[in-house]
Amino acid sequence: MSTSEAKRIWPDAKGRFGAFGGRFVAETLMPLVLELEGAWDEAQRDPQFTAQMDEYLRDYVGRPSAIYFAERLSEHFGGAKIWLKRDELNHTGSHKINNCLGQVLLAKRMGKTRIIAETGAGQHGVATATVAARFGLPCVVFMGATDIERQKPNVFRMKMLGAEVVPVTSGTGTLKDAMNDALRDWVTNVDETFYVIGTVAGPHPYPHMVREFQSVIGREARAQILEREGRLPDACVACIGGGSNAMGLFHAFVPDENVRLIGVEAAGKGIKTGQHAASLAGGEPGVLHGNRTYLLQDDDGQIIDAHSISAGLDYPGIGPEHAYLHDIGRAEYVSATDEEALEMFQLCTKLEGIIPALEPAHALARVGDLARELGPQGLIVMNMCGRGDKDVFAIANHLGVKI
Amino acid sequence: MTVTGAARLEARFAALAAQDRAAFVAYVMGGDPGLGKSAQLLDGLPGAGTDIIELGMPFSDPMADGGAIQAAALRSLNAGVRTNDVLKMAAKFRRTDTQTPMIVMGYYNPVHHMGCEAFAKACHASGIDGAIIVDLPPEEDAPLRDAFEEYGLALIRLATPTTDDQRLPTVVANTRGFVYYVSVAGVTGAAVPDADPVQKAVARIRAASGLPVAVGFGVRTPQKAAQIALSADAVVVGSAIVDAMARNGIKEALDLTRSLSDAVHTARQQA
Ligand SMILES: Cc1ncc(COP(=O)(O)O)c(C=O)c1O
């Protein structure tokens, strides 16, 4: 990697991260996306907006989240010291709310009166419904029918929060289809609606905006590890669905060239089986949902359905900034299977008394390898980006237990 | 000598303008429900009064389409149809019909995957005259525009109810053939446009572009088509024909096409 490349400020004015990103939407949405970019530019530079964000992050979300030395996991893996960035302790149980808060505050600022969102695991849906409830805005969440089945507790939570949950049956009824239907809603309700995208994907300015809202994770983690260990970690590790918790952790560390940045994609039943959600490992560059990035696709450019036990990782694309960090070699991308995630879910629960979401359980699988590789002198920060309450039914099912 | 590409579109619009008639544009999904039937429908369109053919290229994630065209794309893909098959079907059509302009409509990823240059070359070789790529706005379409220019093909842009005066010049710059006005904010086949605002928009876009303006999205009936034909240079119907094909087959789809094209062709004489 060339140093200057990584240190450049991305995205550029066209929303590009190198050859990735951009703005590929139907003309009806172009003026809306440009309006959003203008409002976001202004808000970013407004100290009042930042102060408002900081206050809600502290009092409502519960930031800063703790950083925790996972002593027994470290012992178990027998290598480097493993620190967990505890974003699962946030209000609503994941990192998603950092971004929802920012976008809903921006929606208010723009005078929008209706919130829509897509969701996979339901964490983004719950976080959006929560913030919408707090600010008294009606909220519609698009969720694949398959995901509604496997994330029932979150569906009920969203409804309790006053959101309308719209089941999406097109395609395979998962996250990408929910995103298609959210875009169809937005293109129809152009005046009053704000579309809260849940990850670092979509047309510019979303990948940039979501990264900025999530980058609080890495800023805190960097300061916390410096304070506790007196040095930067050897590696930061995070799971990747669209890549928002990973970009959130990575962003502050990108200029620290000695810190390895490692993203863990979902390998599903195994990359070789074709049933996975690893867009970098098994995909090619293409254009979907507003940006150019790596996508799972066939030789005609038709999108291939992803597979992962984790609804939050079950997406055939990845945020454009990851595609860029991958191509310039600044970040490394590996993967973990369904089986590994299930094993790590149980291990973390038993050893640390922390029930992780299935998403970060994927990251933990590669943290184990890395800890052994780095040895006892090593230092790892992993983003524990969500808690596993939403997954207990699916896990019980897998273990053959009726609850 | 027969003209091709953007020139074939221009020739047809000029001929219709001389007769003070609006053009009728029929959209059908390539390969729906399979290649055989789809080709039969395509062959029947000019005889049913279609002036310009818009041939859909199926995509797995048609974000700008409503239920009817989504379902049609799925039927086509499930029948194993891919972009190259649709282009081959077009080429076969072109062997017997050198007059009817034909454009393809689809999404960017299959084009991106083939490569813009290869796609333009394949369109040219198949007798396709232009393309509408729904999710490729002017800011991003330079690679395809350049490739199309090389082959004399028309890259047709969309203007919509959200395209304001500030943005319109960007949308119509470097266009050929015609401008497609999406008459309602929404997906295909959902809401029905009002004739009044459409008339104003058409005048505005015609003035800004100096090109014919086709109006589509939401036109389903001969009555509505005739209303729109009073001001627009062309009226596009898609979902209704696709629906008729899915429900009742080729004959019904062509009967509907005939009644729509009649309404469009006679609208100005009857007004
Ligand atoms: C806990 C958790 N982690 C990770 C993800 C994946 O998203 P991202 O890669 O944007 O962080 C999700 C998505 O629903 C999630 O709920």
Side-chain angles (χ1 to χ4, degrees), chain A residues 94-96 121 123 198-199 239-245 312-313 357 359-360 385-386:
Chain A
S94 81
H95 68 291
K96 295 286 180 186
Q123 288 303 107
T199 191
C239 67
I240 304 230
S244 70
N245 89 85
L313 305 184
E359 289 81 13
C385 57

Side-chain angles (χ1 to χ4, degrees), chain B residues 11-83:
Chain B
R12 169 102 350 156
F13 273 111
L16 289 166
Q19 304 167 37
D20 191 26
R21 274 172 36 168
F24 177 69
V25 183
Y27 170 98
V28 294
M29 173 59 74
D32 167 38
L35 279 174
K37 284 198 173 139
S38 183
Q40 252 179 290
L41 176 63
L42 186 65
D43 287 340
L45 289 175
T50 302
D51 299 301
I52 297 171
I53 295 171
E54 217 181 291
L55 186 58
M57 302 184 291
F59 181 51
S60 54
D61 294 79
M63 276 92 57
D65 284 299
I69 293 177
Q70 281 177 48
L74 264 185
R75 285 192 296 270
S76 174
L77 290 172
N78 288 340
V81 177
R82 293 296 181 267
T83 306

Side-chain angles (χ1 to χ4, degrees), chain A residues 14 16 22-24 26-28 30-31 176 180 184 187-188 284-287 292 297-303, chain B residues 58-63 65 70 82-83 109-110 112-113 134-135 137 139-140 158 160 162-163 167 171 185-186:
Chain A
K14 292 182 79 183
R16 298 278 177 168
R23 196 139 44 189
F24 297 84
E27 175 57 27
T28 310
M30 272 308 287
K176 91 172 163 75
N180 288 339
R184 290 182 184 118
V187 87
T188 308
E284 293 172 81
V287 172
R292 184 174 189 275
Q297 54 186 315
D298 70 10
D299 58 12
D300 187 39
Q302 307 295 334
I303 305 305
Chain B
F59 181 51
S60 54
D61 294 79
M63 276 92 57
D65 284 299
Q70 281 177 48
R82 293 296 181 267
T83 306
N109 199 50
H112 178 276
H113 198 271
V134 183
D135 55 349
E139 285 84 347
E140 303 281 1
L158 303 172
T160 74
T162 58
T163 311
R167 184 163 171 76
V171 169

Side-chain angles (χ1 to χ4, degrees), chain A residues 20 100 150 182 209 213 218 231 267 270 274 331 339 387:
Chain A
F20 301 100
C100 297
R150 60 178 164 173
M209 182 168 67
F213 289 141
R231 72 170 179 102
E339 281 306 319
R387 55 184 180 241

Side-chain angles (χ1 to χ4, degrees), chain B:
Chain B
M1 191 194 104
T2 50
V3 291
T4 65
R8 183 154 36 206
L9 282 161
E10 285 154 10
R12 169 102 350 156
F13 273 111
L16 289 166
Q19 304 167 37
D20 191 26
R21 274 172 36 168
F24 177 69
V25 183
Y27 170 98
V28 294
M29 173 59 74
D32 167 38
L35 279 174
K37 284 198 173 139
S38 183
Q40 252 179 290
L41 176 63
L42 186 65
D43 287 340
L45 289 175
T50 302
D51 299 301
I52 297 171
I53 295 171
E54 217 181 291
L55 186 58
M57 302 184 291
F59 181 51
S60 54
D61 294 79
M63 276 92 57
D65 284 299
I69 293 177
Q70 281 177 48
L74 264 185
R75 285 192 296 270
S76 174
L77 290 172
N78 288 340
V81 177
R82 293 296 181 267
T83 306
N84 272 322
D85 301 312
V86 174
L87 297 180
K88 271 189 213 144
M89 195 173 105
K92 214 161 147 217
F93 170 88
R94 192 48 89 210
R95 270 186 238 140
T96 56
D97 184 326
T98 56
Q99 301 300 315
T100 310
M102 179 165 47
I103 61 172
V104 285
M105 180 163 185
Y107 292 81
Y108 191 41
N109 199 50
V111 174
H112 178 276
H113 198 271
M114 191 183 294
C116 289
E117 170 64 30
F119 179 70
K121 192 172 172 187
C123 282
H124 176 70
S126 311
I128 301 279
D129 303 311
I132 298 174
I133 306 298
V134 183
D135 55 349
L136 190 64
E139 285 84 347
E140 303 281 1
D141 75 5
L144 189 58
R145 199 168 66 227
D146 293 347
F148 265 37
E149 224 150 73
E150 203 178 311
Y151 290 94
L153 300 168
L155 182 58
I156 292 143
R157 298 260 183 75
L158 303 172
T160 74
T162 58
T163 311
D164 56 20
D165 285 334
Q166 199 195 330
R167 184 163 171 76
L168 190 54
T170 307
V171 169
V172 300
N174 308 311
T175 48
R176 277 192 81 180
F178 64 94
V179 178
Y180 189 126
Y181 180 60
V182 175
S183 58
V184 290
V187 292
T188 50
V192 181
D194 289 329
D196 226 34
V198 165
Q199 184 186 346
K200 290 201 186 85
V202 166
R204 198 164 65 95
I205 296 163
R206 202 186 277 131
S209 66
L211 290 172
V213 179
V215 173
F217 272 53
V219 182
R220 299 190 70 91
T221 62
Q223 291 77 3
K224 183 54 76 177
Q227 245 181 36
I228 303 286
L230 293 180
S231 63
D233 301 292
V235 181
V236 189
V237 177
S239 295
I241 297 174
V242 166
D243 260 345
M245 173 78 173
R247 244 178 282 182
N248 303 309
I250 294 171
K251 183 176 176 307
E252 307 283 328
L254 289 177
D255 286 349
L256 175 65
T257 304
R258 165 57 64 196
S259 64
L260 288 161
S261 66
D262 279 348
V264 167
H265 292 151
T266 57
R268 293 188 198 159
Q269 279 72 37
Q270 294 189 353

